[in-house]
Amino acid sequence: MRNGRMGLLKEPKQRKLLFSAGISWMFDAMDVGMISFVVAALAAEWSLSSQQVGILTSTTSIGMVFGAAMAGFLADKYGRKNILLWTLLIFSIASALSALATGFIMLCLLRFIAGFGLGGELPVASTLVSESMPVRERGRAVVLLESFWAAGWILSALIAYFVIPDYGWRTAFVIGALPAIYALYLRRAIEDSPRYMRQKSARRLSFGERVASVWSTEHRRTSIMLWVLWFTVVFSYYGMFLWLPTVMVDKGFSLVKSFQYVLIMTLAQLPGYFTAAYFIERFGRKFVLVTYLVFTAISAIWFGYANTEASLLAAGICLSFFNLGAWGGLYAYSPELYPTKVRSTGVGLATSFGRIGGVIAPLLVGVLKQQGTRIELIFVMFFVTILIGALGVLLLGKETKGLELADE
C-alpha cells in the first residue's frame, strides 16, 4: 500500500506530466483570476455599469462553453496532447491582444477568444493526467493538478496588487501571454496518454456517435448527474469569485485593500486542494464532493451576511478552502465516468454545459446588483444552488475509487 501511495512521486515520467500540465493549468487560472481584478479597475477607468461588468466577465465563460465542447471532441479524435497545446496558444495570444483593446466591445470579443482556449484546455488536461496515472494515485494526481489553479489565482492576485495600481490593467494582460512561450516547451516535454495511444488505430466514432454514447442508457444517469454538478459548481464559482473584489469594495473596503483580502482568501485554496487530495483516495470521490460542497454552501451564506472585517475574511477563507477542494474532486471524478473512446467528449460536454452557468451567474449578479438586490440575498441563491449539486452527487453518483478506467 505504501508503495502504491508513493508511486506518483517515484515515477519521473508521471511526475513530469503532472507538473507540466499543472503549469498550463496555473496559467489558465492566472488569466481567469486577472479578469476579476481587471474589471474592478476598468469599472472606474471606463465608467462601466454593474451590468457591463457582468457582460465582460461572462464573455470569457461564453467562449469556454464552446471551447470545452469542441476540445473534448477533438481530443478524442486527434489526441489529448495536440489539443492541449493548441488551446494553450489560443488563450495566451488572445490575452496578449486584450492589452491593445481600445473599447468595451473589442475587449469582450478578445475575452471570448481567450475563453475558447481556456475552456478547452482544462477538461483535456485533466483527461490526459487521469489516463496516465496508476489507479491508486489517479484521483490524488488530478486533484493535485487542480491545485495549480490556486497558484494561478495567487499569481493573479499578486499582479493585481503590485502591477495594476502602478502599471495599469493592460500590463496584466501582457503578462497573460506567457503561456505561448511555455507551449513550445510543452510540445517536447509531455506524451499522449497510453490509453489513447492504444486506441489510436481503432475506428474513430463520429461526433454524433460520441454524443449518442454519452447519453445512451448505460451512461444517461451519470451524464445527468455530471451535467447538474458541473452547472451548479461553475455557476456558483464564477458568480461568487469573479465578483469578490467588487463585493469587498461594496462592503466598504478600498480597491487595493480588497485585492489584499482576496489574496489572503486565495491562499486558503491550497490547503483545500491538499486535504481533498488526501481524502479522495481514502474515503472516495462522493465523500469529498458532497462534504466540500455542503461546507461551500455554508461558507457562501456566511460570506453574504458577514459585516465585520474579521468575519468577512474568515468566511472568504472557508469559501476558498471548500469550494476549490470540491473543484479538485470534480475534475478527478469526471474522467472516471466514461470509457476511453468517448472520455474526453463526455467530460467536454459536461464541462461545456457547466460553463453556461459561468455565463449566466456574473450577468445575473450584475443585473441583481443594478436592481438594488442585497448582497445577502444573492449569496442565499448560491447557497441553494451548491446544495442542489451536492444532492445530485449523493443520489445519482457512483463511486469510482479504486476502479480501473474503462476502455470500452
Side-chain angles (χ1 to χ4, degrees):
M1 179 65 75
R2 187 175 183 273
N3 290 336
R5 289 189 184 281
M6 295 298 290
L8 180 64
L9 299 175
K10 289 183 176 178
E11 282 290 336
K13 186 181 290 187
Q14 293 166 356
R15 192 165 58 240
K16 185 177 183 180
L17 171 63
L18 177 60
F19 185 77
S20 299
I23 295 296
S24 69
W25 202 286
M26 180 189 74
F27 282 130
D28 264 18
M30 184 181 76
D31 191 272
V32 172
M34 276 197 309
I35 194 65
S36 73
F37 296 110
V38 164
V39 293
L42 268 179
E45 185 176 324
W46 286 2
S47 302
L48 301 180
S49 66
S50 292
Q51 211 157 350
Q52 284 177 307
V53 169
I55 291 170
L56 180 57
T57 52
S58 286
T59 51
T60 302
S61 294
I62 294 171
M64 292 175 93
V65 171
F66 294 97
M70 186 169 290
F73 168 67
L74 293 174
D76 276 335
K77 190 171 184 179
Y78 298 111
R80 284 59 163 136
K81 175 185 172 180
N82 290 332
I83 304 306
L84 175 64
L85 295 179
W86 277 108
T87 53
L88 200 59
L89 283 171
I90 289 169
F91 92 72
S92 56
I93 291 169
S95 180
L97 293 175
S98 296
L100 304 176
T102 55
F104 178 73
I105 293 175
M106 181 179 178
L107 185 57
C108 283
L109 178 61
L110 288 166
R111 294 312 304 165
F112 171 84
I113 298 170
F116 185 91
L118 287 164
E121 194 269 336
L122 296 171
V124 173
S126 63
T127 299
L128 173 61
V129 171
S130 182
E131 289 181 338
S132 303
M133 297 295 167
V135 63
R136 287 182 177 176
E137 293 292 347
R138 189 178 63 228
R140 181 179 292 115
V142 179
V143 177
L144 291 175
L145 169 69
E146 169 68 352
S147 73
F148 281 84
W149 186 268
W153 263 85
I154 290 166
L155 271 178
S156 69
L158 290 172
I159 291 166
Y161 185 63
F162 290 108
V163 175
I164 293 177
D166 294 329
Y167 301 100
W169 57 270
R170 295 182 191 276
T171 306
F173 279 133
V174 171
I175 295 171
L178 291 175
I181 300 169
Y182 180 69
L184 298 176
Y185 160 78
L186 208 60
R187 186 172 179 268
R188 293 180 177 274
I190 64 172
E191 300 174 2
D192 225 321
S193 79
R195 287 180 179 276
Y196 172 78
M197 295 304 291
R198 284 199 296 269
Q199 295 215 344
K200 195 175 180 181
S201 59
R203 185 184 80 85
R204 293 193 177 102
L205 301 177
S206 67
F207 179 69
E209 288 173 323
R210 293 180 199 280
V211 174
S213 177
V214 168
W215 284 100
S216 65
T217 305
E218 182 183 1
H219 300 302
R220 189 174 302 141
R221 179 187 173 106
T222 290
S223 294
I224 291 171
M225 180 276 300
L226 203 56
W227 284 39
V228 169
L229 178 61
W230 268 98
F231 185 90
T232 54
V233 170
V234 178
F235 177 90
S236 57
Y237 176 81
Y238 282 90
M240 293 187 296
F241 280 82
L242 287 184
W243 279 92
L244 271 186
T246 307
V247 169
M248 297 289 286
V249 171
D250 288 348
K251 285 180 177 278
F253 299 98
S254 69
L255 188 60
V256 173
K257 192 75 168 177
S258 74
F259 285 174
Q260 287 178 325
Y261 284 154
V262 173
L263 174 57
I264 293 169
M265 293 175 194
T266 304
L267 288 170
Q269 294 178 10
L270 286 169
Y273 285 125
F274 297 148
T275 54
Y278 174 75
F279 289 136
I280 203 162
E281 294 298 356
R282 189 171 180 85
F283 300 117
R285 282 61 167 152
K286 287 183 68 172
F287 171 85
V288 166
L289 280 166
V290 173
T291 302
Y292 278 65
L293 285 174
V294 167
F295 279 105
T296 298
I298 294 168
S299 302
I301 204 162
W302 180 17
F303 185 87
Y305 279 90
N307 53 18
T308 67
E309 187 172 332
S311 62
L312 199 63
L313 189 57
I317 287 171
C318 290
L319 189 62
S320 289
F321 180 97
F322 290 111
N323 186 264
L324 277 297
W327 269 99
L330 178 59
Y331 271 109
Y333 190 43
S334 299
E336 297 178 339
L337 297 170
Y338 297 104
T340 301
K341 61 184 178 181
V342 296
R343 180 169 295 119
S344 208
T345 300
V347 176
L349 289 173
T351 306
S352 178
F353 183 73
R355 296 298 174 192
I356 296 173
V359 175
I360 295 170
L363 283 171
L364 183 57
V365 173
V367 171
L368 291 173
K369 275 174 57 61
Q370 193 115 326
Q371 292 176 347
T373 305
R374 289 162 48 215
I375 290 293
E376 292 89 343
L377 294 179
I378 293 173
F379 275 80
V380 168
M381 173 184 70
F382 292 128
F383 170 79
V384 173
T385 303
I386 296 162
L387 288 183
I388 290 172
L391 193 63
V393 177
L394 188 64
L395 298 180
L396 299 176
K398 62 181 180 182
E399 183 55 63
T400 55
K401 173 181 173 287
L403 300 179
E404 286 286 355
L405 294 177
D407 285 327
E408 295 296 336

